[in-house]
Amino acid sequence: MIEVKACIFDLDGVIVDTARHHFAAWQSLANELGIPFTKEDNDRLKGVSRVDSLEYILKKGNLVLDSATKLQLMEKKNAIYLSLSEKTSPEDTMDGIVSLMDELAESGLQIGLGSSSKNARMILTKLELMSRFSTIVDGNNITLSKPDPEVFQKAAQLMGVIPSQCIVIEDAQAGIEAALSGGFHVVGVGEGLKNAHLHLNDLKGIGFNYIQENLSAH
Ligand code: B16
Ligand code: MG
């Protein structure tokens, strides 16, 4: 059995379904710029920082813009995202998250957040989950976006654990690659993902023992 001391959760798409708000906001912006933006594009941008997401969209549309315009566009996208997320409340926490966190805490594990989002603390506050985390590392604390492992490495370091003692739960391919390259045990949640040590459709009814046993098989 692997010895696990901490669990790092991704935010968007794992704890709460704000991924659809990011999608709608980017789609609206891309639409305005006359650049097609599909679900496949969105999947590639999951876990990717705001600035890298904009660069991806501009590249797709062969659009070269100055940095002031890019800043304006990012602010616009974020304003759309914020208005879509405004009503986020504890009921929006995805099924299985609270019971899994209860179980992790009872088993003496630390809980960390590893999110690319600069809005992570605001969303966790709306979900009333802030107090459950011993460490929060988000888009404000990192220089390199997923698939770079920085966000998870920083969280592990702050919790005083090494990656091999730590599980990362992710819904994005970029996040899975980040965790793998950092040497973490990785659970992928959702469809169309590859390379995680354990793949689950969702976390509904999933307990810590189930995760630990199935990760030990890899
Ligand atoms: P923001 P995660 C990521 O959060 C989202 O998946 C991604 O779609 C978003 O572009 C990124 O955060 C930056 O978010 O614009 O709010 O700073 O999945 O890593 O929790
Ligand atoms: Mg995510």
Side-chain angles (χ1 to χ4, degrees):
M1 193 74 86
I2 54 167
E3 188 202 13
V4 187
K5 292 191 172 172
C7 182
I8 303 175
F9 286 79
D10 169 54
L11 177 68
D12 296 307
V14 170
I15 293 177
V16 60
D17 188 15
T18 37
R20 69 198 155 102
H21 298 327
H22 283 294
F23 183 25
W26 283 126
Q27 201 163 38
S28 155
L29 195 84
N31 211 16
E32 223 174 279
L33 296 169
I35 302 168
F37 187 74
T38 63
K39 190 185 166 297
E40 285 66 43
D41 291 319
N42 187 61
D43 284 346
R44 291 187 58 174
L45 296 187
K46 281 182 183 169
V48 174
S49 70
R50 201 180 303 172
V51 62
D52 289 349
S53 300
L54 178 66
E55 294 294 357
Y56 172 91
I57 292 168
L58 295 179
K59 195 171 172 206
K60 195 183 175 200
N62 288 319
L63 214 58
V64 179
L65 300 173
D66 59 61
S67 43
T69 312
K70 286 189 211 174
L71 212 60
Q72 271 177 6
L73 291 175
M74 285 191 283
E75 277 169 15
K76 199 167 193 174
K77 182 267 171 178
N78 198 44
I80 302 170
Y81 173 76
L82 290 179
S83 78
L84 292 171
S85 306
E86 207 195 319
K87 289 196 175 72
T88 300
S89 76
E91 290 82 68
D92 294 310
T93 306
M94 283 169 110
D95 287 346
I97 291 291
V98 170
S99 54
L100 179 58
M101 285 184 176
D102 281 344
E103 225 185 290
L104 294 170
E106 278 160 22
S107 307
L109 270 80
Q110 295 188 74
I111 298 176
L113 188 87
S115 167
S116 304
S117 176
K118 293 185 169 174
N119 295 299
R121 285 169 187 269
M122 179 272 291
I123 296 287
L124 286 179
T125 302
K126 283 181 184 287
L127 297 174
E128 298 176 7
L129 290 175
M130 278 291 278
S131 63
R132 291 182 175 264
F133 290 88
S134 45
T135 297
I136 291 177
V137 180
D138 65 21
N140 299 294
N141 317 119
I142 50 171
T143 49
L144 299 164
S145 153
K146 299 167 187 176
D148 188 279
E150 185 186 8
V151 70
F152 299 130
Q153 284 169 332
K154 229 171 183 171
Q157 207 174 14
L158 287 168
M159 290 190 286
V161 297
I162 54 171
S164 61
Q165 299 169 328
C166 206
I167 296 170
V168 168
I169 306 186
E170 256 295 346
D171 74 311
Q173 196 56 46
I176 290 174
E177 304 307 335
L180 285 175
S181 75
F184 294 85
H185 303 282
V186 196
V187 178
V189 183
E191 289 168 1
L193 298 170
K194 49 183 192 338
N195 303 335
H197 299 122
L198 169 64
H199 287 275
L200 300 168
N201 290 333
D202 54 50
L203 292 170
K204 214 183 286 178
I206 300 292
F208 171 53
N209 284 342
Y210 179 86
I211 293 178
Q212 197 179 23
E213 275 164 24
N214 285 279
L215 280 177
S216 297
H218 81 76

